[in-house]
Amino acid sequence: MKFDLDGAANFTYKKGPGEPEVKGSFVLSTADKTLKINGANLLGNEGCGANNDNLYTIISLTEDELILYVPLATGPGGCYTGWTWIFKAQED
């Protein structure tokens, strides 16, 4: 996954090694503490644990770390559970 601001608020998702990149966009609301992903998925946001709205609550956002939470994932298969993602900045 990659977030960048090169011309727009871009989000790139790659399911795994050798998989094609999927390009989307994002909307960050610091006032509402939310992150909305458009046109792509977060890693793990598929199947039973899908967050169909792609709207995430921001628990923490620092220079080096992003923690996202979705309290109730109601995806296909009837899996009703919350998810937390912890992302760390990749070192160059």
Side-chain angles (χ1 to χ4, degrees), residues 2 11 15 23 31-33 35 37 49-50 54 57 61 65-67 71-73 77 79 85:
K2 178 182 172 185
F11 175 76
K15 189 173 181 177
K23 297 191 182 262
D32 294 331
K33 295 186 177 181
L35 176 69
I37 306 253
N54 277 342
T57 300
L61 176 60
E65 182 179 77
L66 169 62
I67 301 175
L72 183 61
C79 180
W85 290 264

Side-chain angles (χ1 to χ4, degrees), residues 6-40:
D6 188 16
N10 303 301
F11 175 76
T12 305
Y13 168 78
K14 192 171 180 181
K15 189 173 181 177
E19 296 288 330
E21 288 186 343
V22 177
K23 297 191 182 262
S25 63
F26 70 92
V27 177
L28 174 68
S29 172
T30 55
D32 294 331
K33 295 186 177 181
T34 59
L35 176 69
K36 170 88 170 145
I37 306 253
N38 300 301

Side-chain angles (χ1 to χ4, degrees), residues 53-76:
D53 295 334
N54 277 342
L55 182 64
Y56 303 88
T57 300
I58 299 170
I59 301 300
S60 175
L61 176 60
T62 67
E63 185 176 311
D64 300 316
E65 182 179 77
L66 169 62
I67 301 175
L68 299 176
Y69 176 69
V70 61
L72 183 61
T74 56

